[in-house]
Short mmCIF file of all heavy atoms in Angstrom, two decimals:
data_model
loop_
_atom_site.label_atom_id
_atom_site.label_comp_id
_atom_site.label_asym_id
_atom_site.label_seq_id
_atom_site.Cartn_x
_atom_site.Cartn_y
_atom_site.Cartn_z
N CYS A 25 -13.18 -55.66 300.21
CA CYS A 25 -12.57 -56.96 300.08
C CYS A 25 -12.05 -57.10 298.71
O CYS A 25 -10.93 -57.40 298.37
CB CYS A 25 -13.51 -58.03 300.58
SG CYS A 25 -12.86 -59.71 300.50
N ARG A 49 -7.48 -50.04 299.64
CA ARG A 49 -7.23 -51.45 299.38
C ARG A 49 -8.36 -52.04 298.54
O ARG A 49 -9.48 -51.67 298.67
CB ARG A 49 -7.13 -52.32 300.63
CG ARG A 49 -8.47 -52.38 301.50
CD ARG A 49 -8.57 -53.71 302.24
NE ARG A 49 -8.98 -54.82 301.35
CZ ARG A 49 -8.74 -56.05 301.65
NH1 ARG A 49 -8.18 -56.45 302.71
NH2 ARG A 49 -9.16 -56.97 300.77
N LYS A 54 -8.77 -63.00 294.14
CA LYS A 54 -9.21 -63.46 295.45
C LYS A 54 -8.92 -64.93 295.64
O LYS A 54 -9.41 -65.82 294.84
CB LYS A 54 -10.70 -63.18 295.55
CG LYS A 54 -11.17 -61.76 295.41
CD LYS A 54 -10.37 -60.76 296.38
CE LYS A 54 -10.68 -61.10 297.90
NZ LYS A 54 -9.92 -60.25 298.75
N ARG A 176 -13.59 -65.24 313.33
CA ARG A 176 -13.33 -66.05 312.14
C ARG A 176 -12.03 -66.61 312.14
O ARG A 176 -11.73 -67.75 311.75
CB ARG A 176 -13.57 -65.09 310.96
CG ARG A 176 -13.45 -65.73 309.61
CD ARG A 176 -13.62 -64.77 308.48
NE ARG A 176 -13.38 -65.35 307.22
CZ ARG A 176 -13.32 -64.66 306.05
NH1 ARG A 176 -13.52 -63.28 306.08
NH2 ARG A 176 -12.96 -65.25 304.94
N HIS A 202 -10.66 -59.41 308.98
CA HIS A 202 -10.50 -60.87 308.89
C HIS A 202 -10.38 -61.64 310.09
O HIS A 202 -10.63 -62.82 310.18
CB HIS A 202 -9.43 -61.14 307.85
CG HIS A 202 -9.72 -60.77 306.44
ND1 HIS A 202 -9.41 -59.49 305.99
CD2 HIS A 202 -10.38 -61.42 305.49
CE1 HIS A 202 -9.90 -59.48 304.65
NE2 HIS A 202 -10.45 -60.60 304.35
N GLU A 228 -11.88 -53.64 306.02
CA GLU A 228 -12.68 -53.70 304.84
C GLU A 228 -13.81 -52.79 304.84
O GLU A 228 -14.63 -52.80 305.73
CB GLU A 228 -13.09 -55.12 304.63
CG GLU A 228 -11.88 -56.03 304.12
CD GLU A 228 -12.24 -57.39 303.68
OE1 GLU A 228 -13.38 -57.91 304.08
OE2 GLU A 228 -11.44 -58.07 303.03
N SER A 238 -17.91 -60.55 298.17
CA SER A 238 -17.09 -61.46 299.08
C SER A 238 -17.02 -60.78 300.53
O SER A 238 -17.12 -59.44 300.57
CB SER A 238 -15.69 -61.65 298.62
OG SER A 238 -14.97 -60.38 298.39
N ASP A 239 -16.94 -61.57 301.52
CA ASP A 239 -16.84 -60.98 302.86
C ASP A 239 -17.87 -60.03 303.26
O ASP A 239 -17.52 -59.01 303.94
CB ASP A 239 -15.43 -60.56 303.13
CG ASP A 239 -14.38 -61.71 303.22
OD1 ASP A 239 -14.83 -62.87 303.28
OD2 ASP A 239 -13.14 -61.47 303.32
N GLN A 242 -18.45 -58.77 307.09
CA GLN A 242 -17.45 -58.08 307.87
C GLN A 242 -17.10 -56.70 307.34
O GLN A 242 -16.40 -55.94 307.91
CB GLN A 242 -16.04 -58.92 307.96
CG GLN A 242 -15.38 -58.96 306.68
CD GLN A 242 -14.29 -60.07 306.67
OE1 GLN A 242 -14.52 -61.10 307.31
NE2 GLN A 242 -13.19 -59.97 305.98
MN1 MN B 2 -11.70 -60.16 302.59
#
Side-chain angles (χ1 to χ4, degrees):
C25 178
R49 64 148 283 158
K54 299 304 298 178
R176 179 175 175 194
H202 289 93
E228 286 190 341
S238 59
D239 288 352
Q242 71 197 33

